Amino acid sequence: MGSIVVFSIFNLSLFIRVNDFQDVIIVSRNGKYIFCSVVFTTILNLVLNFVLVSLIGIAGGAASFIICLFVFAGLLTVKSLRIMKCRFTDLVDVILIFKVLMVSASLASLMFLIYRFYLPYLSFLIAAAPVYAAVILFIGLKWKLADERLLSYVTMKIKSFIPLKIWA
């Protein structure tokens, strides 16, 4: 059971790993800042590892890594924003992210409740996954939560996997 918790904690790194936070800093010839940030977060990671592993066990090591990863990304983001002289909201559409999060979380919660209290069978999960994807795709199209080119590409790929006459 402990490995599930550790893996779940490490999955939080996926929020950060989709972006390379160093590009602007490197291009602006501020590489020393990256080095100092790495040294700082490494020392912080060592301290947090010592404290958190002794308090909560192996999950503390994973939590320490995630905390330091977010600190590192935060340091580089703040530096990049200062270099570019812009705000965070100039780069990230926070409202759109919140809408996508709310739609996904609501639908996932509904699926979880159905699974937990009414249909606790693997077959429900297998059937629910494509329904979840279809509903997310439909809502994404209806509320324009994603770029239309991306949604049309996904739709094209789905059609190529399902050779039905209704697509023609």
Side-chain angles (χ1 to χ4, degrees):
M1 192 68 162
S3 62
I4 294 172
V5 173
V6 171
F7 183 70
S8 298
I9 293 170
F10 274 118
N11 276 336
L12 294 173
S13 71
L14 296 175
F15 289 116
I16 300 295
R17 297 289 180 168
V18 298
N19 189 9
D20 184 8
F21 297 90
Q22 302 175 18
D23 293 342
V24 172
I25 299 170
I26 291 171
V27 169
S28 67
R29 300 185 189 279
N30 286 299
K32 186 176 179 183
Y33 184 82
I34 296 170
F35 174 75
C36 292
S37 298
V38 167
V39 170
F40 171 75
T41 54
T42 301
I43 293 169
L44 178 64
N45 195 12
L46 289 170
V47 171
L48 285 175
N49 259 302
F50 179 75
V51 172
L52 293 178
V53 169
S54 63
L55 288 175
I56 58 177
I58 193 168
S64 171
F65 170 76
I66 294 300
I67 291 167
C68 290
L69 185 64
F70 275 84
V71 167
F72 181 67
L75 290 170
L76 297 184
T77 300
V78 168
K79 181 68 171 178
S80 296
L81 292 173
R82 287 184 182 149
I83 291 169
M84 294 186 300
K85 296 179 180 140
C86 66
R87 297 182 314 243
F88 183 74
T89 54
D90 294 334
L91 301 177
V92 178
D93 189 349
V94 178
I95 293 171
L96 177 64
I97 291 173
F98 182 74
K99 286 180 183 178
V100 171
L101 175 67
M102 293 312 298
V103 167
S104 299
S106 300
L107 190 55
S109 297
L110 176 65
M111 297 282 194
F112 174 75
L113 291 173
I114 292 171
Y115 172 74
R116 178 89 169 135
F117 297 110
Y118 297 110
L119 298 169
Y121 307 108
L122 181 61
S123 58
F124 170 74
L125 291 177
I126 293 169
V131 171
Y132 176 84
V135 170
I136 292 294
L137 181 64
F138 174 75
I139 291 173
L141 285 168
K142 191 75 173 165
W143 291 353
K144 298 183 180 183
L145 296 178
D147 186 63
E148 290 179 22
R149 294 173 295 175
L150 174 65
L151 293 173
S152 65
Y153 177 76
V154 170
T155 305
M156 179 191 68
K157 287 296 186 183
I158 291 172
K159 288 179 183 179
S160 70
F161 285 117
I162 307 173
L164 299 174
K165 292 182 180 181
I166 60 170
W167 299 118

